[in-house]
């Protein structure tokens, strides 16, 4: 079977709904009327080439950019104009491209920042131990300055920090970028693991093959538009996707 473009209608039970989103940088329109939806418990991948508008879309969702047109709703509420701090309190957390860790703070302090909006100390301690179990290197170096970590270790830290926020929706922007093959395997293992535990994930990733292999559904973005969408397995077998993004 071949994946087909998704209809423009949005399902009312979606955790995240993006409708006709449009954004520009200066005079260049980067996103041109994007529609997408994420349902509770799904792992959804957004793939596309550099400059397609993927990161810009995430910035709009997480309050980093103001949309020129369209609507973004999370848990049934319009979130236009809300800052990132408000969205984290509502359960929407992002691990940005480039990780965004606090380099002059220790690993432990960075992780504690992830739980800043929480007040359930006992559960925070339990979740911290779970992060240390998932990423043993972080536990070994918990008092080391984050800025001295390798790129892969910083990615672990950024993911751990986001998970300590107990997100209802976790957004990941290019988590495998610049990492060694072994570290890429570890990061995708963690993404698959949190998804298997029921967390809803939106994954933006240039490693299209790996992204499609673990996703439930996926969207293909080209020149600011969603051009294809559907079950990830169907997109993985789609001749156009294989030719354009899988090097076949």
């Amino acid at each position: 079977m071949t994946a087909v473009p998704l209809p423009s209608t949005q399902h009312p039970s979606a955790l995240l709904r993006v409708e006709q989103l449009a954004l520009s940088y200066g005079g260049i329109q980067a996103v041109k009327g994007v529609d997408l939806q994420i349902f509770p418990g799904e792992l959804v991948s957004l793939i596309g080439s550099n400059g397609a508008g993927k990161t810009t879309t995430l910035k709009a969702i997480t309050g980093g950019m103001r949309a020129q047109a369209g609507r973004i709703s999370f848990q049934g509420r319009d979130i236009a104009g809300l800052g990132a701090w408000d969205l984290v309190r509502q359960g929407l957390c992002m691990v940005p491209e480039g990780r965004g860790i606090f380099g002059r703070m220790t690993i432990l302090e960075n992780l504690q920042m992830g739980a800043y909006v929480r007040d359930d100390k006992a559960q925070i301690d339990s979740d911290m131990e779970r992060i240390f179990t998932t990423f043993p290197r972080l536990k070994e170096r918990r008092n080391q300055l984050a800025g001295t970590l390798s790129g892969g270790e910083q990615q672990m830290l950024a993911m751990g920090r986001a998970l300590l926020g107990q997100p209802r929706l976790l957004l990941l922007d290019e988590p495998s970028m610049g990492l060694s093959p072994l570290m890429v395997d570890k990061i995708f293992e963690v993404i698959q693991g949190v998804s298997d535990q029921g967390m809803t994930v939106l994954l933006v990733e240039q490693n299209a093959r790996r992204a499609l292999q673990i996703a439930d559904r996926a969207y293909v973005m080209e020149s600011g538009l969603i051009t294809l969408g559907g079950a990830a397995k169907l997109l993985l077998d789609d001749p156009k996707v294989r030719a354009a993004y899988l090097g076949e």
Side-chain angles (χ1 to χ4, degrees):
M1 294 181 66
T2 300
V4 297
L6 287 179
S8 60
T9 55
Q10 303 285 337
H11 195 284
S13 65
L15 180 65
L16 176 74
R17 299 174 59 191
V18 176
E19 302 170 88
Q20 289 298 295
L21 179 68
L23 302 107
S24 294
Y25 287 107
I28 301 174
Q29 191 166 12
V31 177
K32 309 169 184 176
V34 160
D35 291 304
L36 62 83
Q37 54 190 338
I38 314 293
F39 296 98
E42 283 192 307
L43 197 172
V44 177
S45 292
L46 179 60
I47 64 171
S49 60
N50 279 331
K54 307 184 302 297
T55 294
T56 303
T57 299
L58 289 193
K59 286 181 178 178
I61 293 171
T62 55
M65 286 186 68
R66 185 175 293 276
Q68 291 178 305
R71 184 173 185 269
I72 304 170
S73 59
F74 180 60
Q75 301 181 102
R77 295 180 53 194
D78 191 329
I79 58 174
L82 294 183
W85 53 91
D86 294 314
L87 297 174
V88 169
R89 290 183 182 279
Q90 292 188 32
L92 197 158
C93 298
M94 182 168 79
V95 178
E97 181 181 348
R99 294 124 200 173
I101 54 112
F102 301 105
R104 296 186 179 184
M105 296 170 64
T106 66
I107 287 171
L108 181 59
E109 289 168 339
N110 269 268
L111 292 173
Q112 289 170 336
M113 288 297 292
Y116 182 77
V117 299
R118 299 171 55 184
D119 57 11
D120 51 338
K121 186 179 186 305
Q123 187 59 49
I124 290 172
D125 291 342
S126 175
D127 290 346
M128 186 76 75
E129 282 306 311
R130 190 174 298 113
I131 295 299
F132 283 146
T133 299
T134 303
F135 299 118
R137 289 192 203 181
L138 299 185
K139 185 170 186 176
E140 294 167 6
R141 306 178 185 187
R142 60 196 298 166
N143 295 316
Q144 184 174 328
L145 292 180
T148 65
L149 299 177
S150 70
E153 291 164 346
Q154 289 186 13
Q155 187 65 57
M156 293 178 185
L157 179 57
M159 292 183 67
R161 183 181 61 189
L163 291 171
L164 277 164
Q166 290 188 317
R168 295 176 185 269
L169 173 60
L170 177 65
L171 294 88
L172 302 169
D173 192 5
E174 305 288 2
S176 75
M177 182 177 289
L179 304 186
S180 69
L182 284 176
M183 191 59 68
V184 170
D185 288 343
K186 176 62 175 178
I187 293 301
F188 273 92
E189 176 187 322
V190 172
I191 296 169
Q192 182 71 76
V194 298
S195 174
D196 289 345
Q197 292 169 22
M199 183 170 292
T200 309
V201 179
L202 174 56
L203 169 65
V204 166
E205 177 58 56
Q206 285 216 12
N207 190 332
R209 185 183 301 277
R210 295 296 296 268
L212 293 174
Q213 285 173 340
I214 67 170
D216 300 306
R217 289 192 302 113
Y219 294 93
V220 178
M221 195 168 190
E222 298 177 5
S223 302
L225 294 167
I226 299 292
T227 56
L228 281 175
K233 290 181 179 179
L234 295 183
L235 285 171
L236 193 58
D237 293 331
D238 186 285
K240 292 181 180 178
V241 173
R242 296 178 75 87
Y245 302 106
L246 306 183
E248 298 180 8

